[in-house]
Amino acid sequence: MKVLTKNTDYAIRALLALAAEKGSYLSAKAIASGQDIPYQFLRRLLQEMIRHNLIVSKEGARGGFMLEKDPDAITVTQLIEIFQGKVQVSECMFRKQICGNRSRCVLRHEIMRIEQVVQSEFEKVTIGKLLRDLEAANRK
Amino acid sequence: MKVLTKNTDYAIRALLALAAEKGSYLSAKAIASGQDIPYQFLRRLLQEMIRHNLIVSKEGARGGFMLEKDPDAITVTQLIEIFQGKVQVSECMFRKQICGNRSRCVLRHEIMRIEQVVQSEFEKVTIGKLLRDLEAANRK
DNA sequence: TTATTTGATACCAATTTAGTATCAGTTAAT
DNA sequence: ATTAACTGATACTAAATTGGTATCAAATAA
Ligand code: FES
Ligand code: FES
């Protein structure tokens, strides 16, 4: 069971690169080579993050991407939601479709609790926190 | 992001049916129709659970399946591991392959912590617990 | 002997994940 | 004005995973 897909993994690394470059534009090419992410794949992820107002871009030569939001306001939970959909332990209860035993479903209760736990754990992890950890590790 | 796949979902429901039928054999057909699980699909799941010593079977007419382990000793974590592989937040660190930035990876630490949290939450949920919840709900 | 049931596999379809390619439009620098 | 370096948008493909079906042999109770 793999919780984070490449989408999210790459997005996190890209945001870290942008957060480190605070204030100036960084090109997709530079991020891709620096973080070892497939270029065209990364470009799509960046577009998606623009749509969600996490970053902004400047077109043309010397253009690139820049962080828009406060790094501490970007949580891994948000990124999971963008790239993998909302955290849901079991599917059935989010659909109107009756799951056959919904009425006597004991799982539902447990499931919702665990969903909350997972979500809130990933909420504690922000780009800002990761960046500080990264910088601390590099100083050593 | 869907945490439990149909595999695990169905397995849990099948085990609940077996736990409720404690001591006697229940056929795949009966479980399938009772829990609304595709018959052939379920059969494969049951075989897999035999291999993991969660249940035993008796062949032939009037045969079926019976719970082998104590219901309280069967956790959802175990079922996830059987049907979806071990819980791992991000892939890279379980492979020898160097992930490019493993040396300066700040995610690894956070990831391992969250893995532990998720795993231990699902460990709290046993078939025994679910069965008791179910029975309590039915008495109401 | 026959109906019922598991054991073992092989197969298939749908979905999701990962990655590539292409072309149009924008901008900085010369 | 031209060109090189970029992003925007989108279409496409390949691989892996998930969900589901079908088949046939062997066992066993009636
Ligand atoms: S609501 Fe679907 S298994 Fe419970
Ligand atoms: S060890 Fe791979 S991203 Fe960290």
Side-chain angles (χ1 to χ4, degrees):
Chain A
M1 184 202 141
K2 194 174 50 185
V3 177
L4 301 187
T5 60
K6 290 288 181 193
N7 280 338
T8 312
D9 184 336
Y10 291 161
I12 292 170
R13 289 200 261 163
L15 288 171
L16 281 172
L18 290 175
E21 211 72 0
K22 193 181 169 184
S24 62
Y25 287 100
L26 194 60
S27 76
K29 200 174 158 193
I31 299 170
S33 68
Q35 300 289 324
D36 196 37
I37 303 173
Y39 176 64
Q40 297 292 2
F41 199 163
L42 172 65
R43 298 233 290 134
R44 283 203 326 218
L45 303 179
L46 291 167
Q47 292 303 318
E48 193 67 22
M49 291 196 276
I50 287 175
R51 271 173 232 126
H52 285 84
N53 304 308
L54 299 180
I55 60 178
V56 289
S57 67
K58 192 173 84 172
E59 285 181 76
R62 297 268 190 144
F65 303 85
M66 196 163 57
L67 209 57
E68 170 82 337
K69 285 188 78 168
D70 174 8
D72 285 305
I74 303 176
T75 69
V76 171
T77 296
Q78 278 171 60
L79 297 173
I80 290 176
E81 281 184 14
I82 292 173
F83 294 110
Q84 303 176 225
K86 203 164 169 61
V87 176
Q88 49 184 97
V89 173
S90 182
E91 224 173 17
C92 46
M93 60 190 122
F94 294 94
R95 298 189 175 168
K96 286 261 165 73
Q97 150 215 333
I98 310 98
C99 90
N101 61 351
R102 185 183 162 85
S103 58
R104 45 179 151 142
C105 179
V106 289
L107 263 178
R108 233 170 75 230
H109 202 246
E110 287 299 323
I111 277 170
M112 296 189 69
R113 188 180 55 77
I114 295 178
E115 252 170 44
Q116 274 306 311
V117 171
V118 173
Q119 223 162 8
S120 78
E121 284 301 320
F122 279 117
E123 236 151 61
K124 293 181 198 161
V125 187
T126 68
I127 296 299
K129 179 185 189 324
L130 290 175
L131 187 64
R132 285 187 295 275
D133 288 355
L134 183 63
E135 283 166 349
N138 283 344
R139 266 198 302 279
K140 274 175 200 169
Chain B
M1 184 201 141
K2 194 174 50 185
V3 177
L4 301 186
T5 60
K6 289 288 181 195
N7 280 338
T8 312
D9 185 336
Y10 291 160
I12 291 170
R13 290 200 260 163
L15 288 171
L16 282 172
L18 291 174
E21 210 72 0
K22 192 180 168 186
S24 62
Y25 287 98
L26 193 60
S27 76
K29 201 174 156 193
I31 300 170
S33 67
Q35 300 289 324
D36 197 37
I37 303 172
Y39 175 63
Q40 296 293 1
F41 198 165
L42 172 64
R43 299 232 291 133
R44 282 203 327 218
L45 302 179
L46 291 167
Q47 292 303 319
E48 193 68 22
M49 290 196 276
I50 288 174
R51 271 173 232 125
H52 285 84
N53 305 308
L54 299 180
I55 60 180
V56 289
S57 67
K58 192 173 84 172
E59 285 180 78
R62 298 268 189 143
F65 302 85
M66 196 163 56
L67 208 58
E68 170 81 338
K69 285 187 79 167
D70 175 8
D72 285 306
I74 303 178
T75 69
V76 171
T77 297
Q78 277 171 60
L79 297 172
I80 290 176
E81 282 183 14
I82 292 173
F83 294 109
Q84 304 176 224
K86 202 166 171 58
V87 175
Q88 50 183 98
V89 174
S90 181
E91 222 173 19
C92 45
M93 60 190 122
F94 294 93
R95 299 189 173 167
K96 288 262 167 71
Q97 146 215 335
I98 309 99
C99 89
N101 60 350
R102 186 181 162 84
S103 57
R104 46 179 151 143
C105 179
V106 289
L107 263 178
R108 233 169 75 230
H109 201 248
E110 287 301 321
I111 277 171
M112 296 189 69
R113 187 179 58 76
I114 295 178
E115 252 169 44
Q116 274 306 309
V117 171
V118 173
Q119 222 161 10
S120 78
E121 284 301 319
F122 279 116
E123 236 152 60
K124 292 180 198 162
V125 186
T126 68
I127 296 299
K129 179 186 191 323
L130 290 176
L131 187 64
R132 284 187 296 276
D133 288 355
L134 183 63
E135 284 165 349
N138 284 344
R139 266 197 301 279
K140 274 176 201 169

